mmCIF file of all heavy atoms in Angstrom:
data_model
loop_
_atom_site.group_PDB
_atom_site.id
_atom_site.type_symbol
_atom_site.label_atom_id
_atom_site.label_comp_id
_atom_site.label_asym_id
_atom_site.label_seq_id
_atom_site.Cartn_x
_atom_site.Cartn_y
_atom_site.Cartn_z
ATOM 1 N N TRP A 125 114.354 -139.051 -15.186
ATOM 2 C CA TRP A 125 113.952 -140.175 -16.064
ATOM 3 C C TRP A 125 112.432 -140.266 -16.140
ATOM 4 O O TRP A 125 111.796 -140.609 -15.037
ATOM 5 C CB TRP A 125 114.629 -141.490 -15.658
ATOM 6 C CG TRP A 125 114.303 -142.661 -16.498
ATOM 7 C CD1 TRP A 125 114.539 -143.019 -17.742
ATOM 8 C CD2 TRP A 125 113.325 -143.732 -16.038
ATOM 9 N NE1 TRP A 125 113.991 -144.039 -18.120
ATOM 10 C CE2 TRP A 125 113.069 -144.514 -17.050
ATOM 11 C CE3 TRP A 125 112.542 -143.920 -14.868
ATOM 12 C CZ2 TRP A 125 112.277 -145.749 -17.124
ATOM 13 C CZ3 TRP A 125 111.786 -145.077 -14.837
ATOM 14 C CH2 TRP A 125 111.634 -145.868 -15.887
ATOM 15 N N GLY A 126 111.850 -140.131 -17.381
ATOM 16 C CA GLY A 126 110.417 -140.213 -17.382
ATOM 17 C C GLY A 126 109.811 -139.194 -16.480
ATOM 18 O O GLY A 126 110.174 -137.997 -16.558
ATOM 19 N N THR A 127 108.880 -139.606 -15.527
ATOM 20 C CA THR A 127 108.295 -138.661 -14.617
ATOM 21 C C THR A 127 109.022 -138.670 -13.242
ATOM 22 O O THR A 127 108.382 -138.247 -12.319
ATOM 23 C CB THR A 127 106.724 -138.909 -14.507
ATOM 24 O OG1 THR A 127 106.645 -140.250 -14.046
ATOM 25 C CG2 THR A 127 106.075 -138.802 -15.878
ATOM 26 N N GLN A 128 109.990 -139.440 -13.145
ATOM 27 C CA GLN A 128 110.775 -139.620 -11.883
ATOM 28 C C GLN A 128 112.007 -138.816 -11.811
ATOM 29 O O GLN A 128 112.668 -138.574 -12.818
ATOM 30 C CB GLN A 128 111.159 -141.149 -11.703
ATOM 31 C CG GLN A 128 109.865 -142.130 -11.832
ATOM 32 C CD GLN A 128 109.014 -142.176 -10.560
ATOM 33 O OE1 GLN A 128 109.601 -141.923 -9.390
ATOM 34 N NE2 GLN A 128 107.724 -142.349 -10.803
ATOM 35 N N LEU A 129 112.274 -138.419 -10.569
ATOM 36 C CA LEU A 129 113.621 -137.707 -10.293
ATOM 37 C C LEU A 129 114.393 -138.657 -9.252
ATOM 38 O O LEU A 129 113.840 -139.033 -8.238
ATOM 39 C CB LEU A 129 113.384 -136.344 -9.671
ATOM 40 C CG LEU A 129 114.567 -135.575 -9.413
ATOM 41 C CD1 LEU A 129 115.295 -135.209 -10.625
ATOM 42 C CD2 LEU A 129 114.256 -134.232 -8.561
ATOM 43 N N SER A 140 114.778 -143.192 -6.324
ATOM 44 C CA SER A 140 113.773 -142.039 -6.653
ATOM 45 C C SER A 140 113.335 -141.188 -5.399
ATOM 46 O O SER A 140 113.149 -141.807 -4.320
ATOM 47 C CB SER A 140 112.539 -143.036 -7.161
ATOM 48 O OG SER A 140 111.459 -141.985 -7.394
ATOM 49 N N ILE A 141 113.379 -139.936 -5.634
ATOM 50 C CA ILE A 141 112.977 -139.042 -4.607
ATOM 51 C C ILE A 141 111.782 -138.280 -4.904
ATOM 52 O O ILE A 141 111.138 -137.561 -4.020
ATOM 53 C CB ILE A 141 114.212 -138.163 -4.149
ATOM 54 C CG1 ILE A 141 114.544 -137.283 -5.505
ATOM 55 C CG2 ILE A 141 115.372 -138.872 -3.595
ATOM 56 C CD1 ILE A 141 115.603 -136.182 -5.111
ATOM 57 N N TYR A 142 111.329 -138.276 -6.209
ATOM 58 C CA TYR A 142 110.131 -137.494 -6.581
ATOM 59 C C TYR A 142 109.499 -138.134 -7.741
ATOM 60 O O TYR A 142 110.163 -138.706 -8.691
ATOM 61 C CB TYR A 142 110.490 -136.057 -6.822
ATOM 62 C CG TYR A 142 109.332 -135.183 -7.221
ATOM 63 C CD1 TYR A 142 108.577 -134.657 -6.142
ATOM 64 C CD2 TYR A 142 108.986 -134.813 -8.533
ATOM 65 C CE1 TYR A 142 107.529 -133.757 -6.465
ATOM 66 C CE2 TYR A 142 107.931 -134.065 -8.752
ATOM 67 C CZ TYR A 142 107.070 -133.541 -7.673
ATOM 68 O OH TYR A 142 106.065 -132.679 -8.034
ATOM 69 N N SER A 143 108.146 -138.069 -7.779
ATOM 70 C CA SER A 143 107.479 -138.565 -9.030
ATOM 71 C C SER A 143 106.391 -137.540 -9.375
ATOM 72 O O SER A 143 105.719 -136.966 -8.371
ATOM 73 C CB SER A 143 106.620 -139.870 -8.607
ATOM 74 O OG SER A 143 105.760 -140.384 -9.658
ATOM 75 N N GLY A 144 106.262 -137.203 -10.627
ATOM 76 C CA GLY A 144 105.384 -136.274 -11.054
ATOM 77 C C GLY A 144 105.936 -135.161 -12.007
ATOM 78 O O GLY A 144 105.323 -134.160 -12.347
ATOM 79 N N LEU A 145 107.245 -135.460 -12.487
ATOM 80 C CA LEU A 145 107.770 -134.568 -13.461
ATOM 81 C C LEU A 145 107.119 -134.662 -14.845
ATOM 82 O O LEU A 145 106.535 -135.755 -15.039
ATOM 83 C CB LEU A 145 109.275 -134.860 -13.641
ATOM 84 C CG LEU A 145 110.239 -134.528 -12.504
ATOM 85 C CD1 LEU A 145 111.611 -135.120 -12.926
ATOM 86 C CD2 LEU A 145 110.297 -133.141 -12.152
ATOM 87 N N ALA A 146 107.050 -133.643 -15.631
ATOM 88 C CA ALA A 146 106.561 -133.711 -16.962
ATOM 89 C C ALA A 146 107.663 -134.565 -17.725
ATOM 90 O O ALA A 146 108.933 -134.346 -17.481
ATOM 91 C CB ALA A 146 106.521 -132.296 -17.626
ATOM 92 N N ASN A 147 107.227 -135.555 -18.498
ATOM 93 C CA ASN A 147 108.045 -136.304 -19.313
ATOM 94 C C ASN A 147 108.785 -135.698 -20.505
ATOM 95 O O ASN A 147 108.447 -135.937 -21.729
ATOM 96 C CB ASN A 147 107.533 -137.702 -19.671
ATOM 97 C CG ASN A 147 108.319 -138.624 -20.241
ATOM 98 O OD1 ASN A 147 109.528 -138.567 -20.083
ATOM 99 N ND2 ASN A 147 107.791 -139.733 -20.760
ATOM 100 N N ASP A 163 110.663 -128.198 -15.619
ATOM 101 C CA ASP A 163 110.441 -129.058 -16.664
ATOM 102 C C ASP A 163 109.367 -128.484 -17.768
ATOM 103 O O ASP A 163 108.834 -129.224 -18.520
ATOM 104 C CB ASP A 163 109.904 -130.470 -16.091
ATOM 105 C CG ASP A 163 108.505 -130.320 -15.390
ATOM 106 O OD1 ASP A 163 107.937 -129.249 -15.496
ATOM 107 O OD2 ASP A 163 108.284 -131.180 -14.662
ATOM 108 N N THR A 165 106.524 -127.415 -17.082
ATOM 109 C CA THR A 165 105.244 -127.428 -16.438
ATOM 110 C C THR A 165 105.274 -127.218 -14.927
ATOM 111 O O THR A 165 104.455 -126.458 -14.379
ATOM 112 C CB THR A 165 104.550 -128.835 -16.697
ATOM 113 O OG1 THR A 165 104.464 -129.086 -17.989
ATOM 114 C CG2 THR A 165 103.197 -128.871 -16.028
ATOM 115 N N ASN A 166 106.244 -127.820 -14.341
ATOM 116 C CA ASN A 166 106.456 -127.650 -12.804
ATOM 117 C C ASN A 166 107.689 -126.827 -12.559
ATOM 118 O O ASN A 166 108.602 -126.712 -13.316
ATOM 119 C CB ASN A 166 106.741 -129.059 -12.248
ATOM 120 C CG ASN A 166 105.428 -130.045 -12.403
ATOM 121 O OD1 ASN A 166 104.394 -129.818 -11.960
ATOM 122 N ND2 ASN A 166 105.703 -130.997 -13.319
ATOM 123 N N LEU A 168 110.113 -126.708 -9.166
ATOM 124 C CA LEU A 168 110.379 -127.410 -7.816
ATOM 125 C C LEU A 168 111.637 -127.027 -7.364
ATOM 126 O O LEU A 168 112.512 -126.363 -7.976
ATOM 127 C CB LEU A 168 110.343 -128.850 -8.221
ATOM 128 C CG LEU A 168 109.181 -129.479 -8.904
ATOM 129 C CD1 LEU A 168 109.411 -130.874 -9.263
ATOM 130 C CD2 LEU A 168 107.887 -129.388 -7.947
ATOM 131 N N GLN A 177 107.186 -128.275 -3.890
ATOM 132 C CA GLN A 177 106.877 -127.164 -4.804
ATOM 133 C C GLN A 177 107.328 -125.846 -4.233
ATOM 134 O O GLN A 177 107.613 -125.720 -2.970
ATOM 135 C CB GLN A 177 105.215 -127.083 -4.768
ATOM 136 C CG GLN A 177 104.661 -128.252 -5.345
ATOM 137 C CD GLN A 177 104.654 -128.311 -6.894
ATOM 138 O OE1 GLN A 177 104.930 -127.308 -7.498
ATOM 139 N NE2 GLN A 177 104.536 -129.472 -7.477
#
Side-chain angles (χ1 to χ4, degrees):
W125 173 75
T127 60
Q128 304 284 324
L129 181 67
S140 178
I141 59 171
Y142 183 82
S143 177
L145 293 177
N147 191 8
D163 62 11
T165 301
N166 303 290
L168 309 168
Q177 298 285 339

